[in-house]
Amino acid sequence: MVRLRYLLDGRAAQWQAEQRARLRQAGRSPSYPDSQIAAIATVNDLVLVTRNSVDFVDFQGLQIKNWFEEYTSDPGDYMIHDRVFRDR
Protein backbone atom coordinates (compact mmCIF):
# COMPACT_ATOMS: atom_id res chain seq x y z
CA MET A 1 0.00 0.00 0.00
CA VAL A 2 1.28 3.43 -0.92
CA ARG A 3 0.70 6.15 1.64
CA LEU A 4 0.79 9.76 0.60
CA ARG A 5 0.98 12.60 3.05
CA TYR A 6 -0.49 15.97 2.21
CA LEU A 7 -0.69 18.89 4.60
CA LEU A 8 -2.69 22.07 4.77
CA ASP A 9 -0.07 24.37 3.28
CA GLY A 10 -0.38 28.02 2.27
CA ARG A 11 -2.03 27.23 -1.08
CA ALA A 12 -4.58 24.96 0.56
CA ALA A 13 -5.28 27.46 3.34
CA GLN A 14 -5.88 30.21 0.78
CA TRP A 15 -8.21 27.98 -1.27
CA GLN A 16 -10.08 26.99 1.88
CA ALA A 17 -10.56 30.61 2.96
CA GLU A 18 -11.83 31.63 -0.47
CA GLN A 19 -14.27 28.74 -0.70
CA ARG A 20 -15.62 29.22 2.83
CA ALA A 21 -16.15 32.94 2.14
CA ARG A 22 -17.90 32.20 -1.17
CA LEU A 23 -20.17 29.58 0.41
CA ARG A 24 -21.02 31.79 3.40
CA GLN A 25 -22.05 34.57 1.01
CA ALA A 26 -24.33 32.01 -0.65
CA GLY A 27 -25.89 31.19 2.73
CA ARG A 28 -24.12 27.87 3.23
CA SER A 29 -21.95 26.87 6.16
CA PRO A 30 -19.52 24.07 5.24
CA SER A 31 -17.85 22.25 8.09
CA TYR A 32 -14.30 23.36 8.80
CA PRO A 33 -12.78 19.85 8.57
CA ASP A 34 -14.61 19.16 5.28
CA SER A 35 -13.28 22.40 3.82
CA GLN A 36 -9.74 21.44 4.89
CA ILE A 37 -10.07 18.04 3.23
CA ALA A 38 -11.47 19.65 0.07
CA ALA A 39 -8.66 22.23 0.02
CA ILE A 40 -5.88 19.67 0.35
CA ALA A 41 -7.40 17.48 -2.36
CA THR A 42 -8.01 20.35 -4.77
CA VAL A 43 -4.65 22.11 -4.60
CA ASN A 44 -2.83 18.78 -4.95
CA ASP A 45 -5.03 17.75 -7.92
CA LEU A 46 -6.35 14.69 -6.09
CA VAL A 47 -9.71 12.95 -6.42
CA LEU A 48 -11.59 12.84 -3.13
CA VAL A 49 -13.10 9.38 -2.68
CA THR A 50 -15.88 9.54 -0.13
CA ARG A 51 -19.20 7.93 0.63
CA ASN A 52 -20.38 11.29 1.94
CA SER A 53 -20.18 13.31 -1.27
CA VAL A 54 -23.14 15.51 -0.29
CA ASP A 55 -20.91 17.46 2.12
CA PHE A 56 -18.43 18.28 -0.66
CA VAL A 57 -20.52 19.07 -3.76
CA ASP A 58 -20.53 22.86 -3.20
CA PHE A 59 -16.74 23.21 -3.32
CA GLN A 60 -15.62 24.49 -6.73
CA GLY A 61 -12.91 22.59 -8.55
CA LEU A 62 -13.02 19.56 -6.26
CA GLN A 63 -13.05 16.18 -7.98
CA ILE A 64 -15.30 13.76 -6.07
CA LYS A 65 -15.80 10.04 -6.53
CA ASN A 66 -18.26 7.93 -4.55
CA TRP A 67 -17.50 4.25 -5.05
CA PHE A 68 -20.71 3.29 -3.26
CA GLU A 69 -22.99 4.74 -5.93
CA GLU A 70 -24.63 2.30 -8.27
CA TYR A 71 -25.47 3.75 -11.65
CA THR A 72 -28.90 3.17 -13.11
CA SER A 73 -29.80 2.56 -16.75
CA ASP A 74 -30.46 6.29 -17.25
CA PRO A 75 -27.07 8.05 -17.58
CA GLY A 76 -28.48 11.13 -15.80
CA ASP A 77 -29.50 9.18 -12.70
CA TYR A 78 -27.56 7.37 -10.02
CA MET A 79 -28.64 5.26 -7.09
CA ILE A 80 -27.46 5.29 -3.50
CA HIS A 81 -28.89 2.29 -1.69
CA ASP A 82 -32.53 2.34 -2.80
CA ARG A 83 -32.92 6.04 -3.65
CA VAL A 84 -32.50 7.41 -7.19
CA PHE A 85 -31.07 10.92 -7.68
CA ARG A 86 -30.76 13.11 -10.74
CA ASP A 87 -27.43 14.70 -11.63
CA ARG A 88 -27.48 18.47 -11.24
Side-chain angles (χ1 to χ4, degrees):
M1 174 188 263
V2 175
R3 285 201 162 157
L4 303 175
R5 184 174 177 183
Y6 293 95
L7 302 174
L8 187 70
D9 60 9
R11 292 180 313 134
Q14 180 66 36
W15 187 93
Q16 178 189 19
E18 291 168 0
Q19 290 294 307
R20 287 181 61 79
R22 180 186 64 79
L23 290 171
R24 281 189 181 149
Q25 285 180 335
R28 296 186 194 97
S29 183
S31 85
Y32 195 80
D34 287 348
S35 65
Q36 285 181 320
I37 293 166
I40 293 166
T42 302
V43 301
N44 289 289
D45 198 30
L46 302 172
V47 176
L48 176 62
V49 177
T50 179
R51 189 174 195 166
N52 190 22
S53 55
V54 162
D55 288 345
F56 295 96
V57 295
D58 292 328
F59 293 108
Q60 293 179 341
L62 177 63
Q63 301 174 69
I64 305 169
K65 185 69 178 171
N66 183 340
W67 289 344
F68 292 91
E69 292 176 347
E70 296 177 36
Y71 290 88
T72 65
S73 59
D74 182 340
D77 292 347
Y78 62 92
M79 181 179 285
I80 300 176
H81 303 289
D82 60 347
R83 296 170 44 202
V84 175
F85 297 87
R86 273 253 184 252
D87 278 343
R88 292 184 195 192

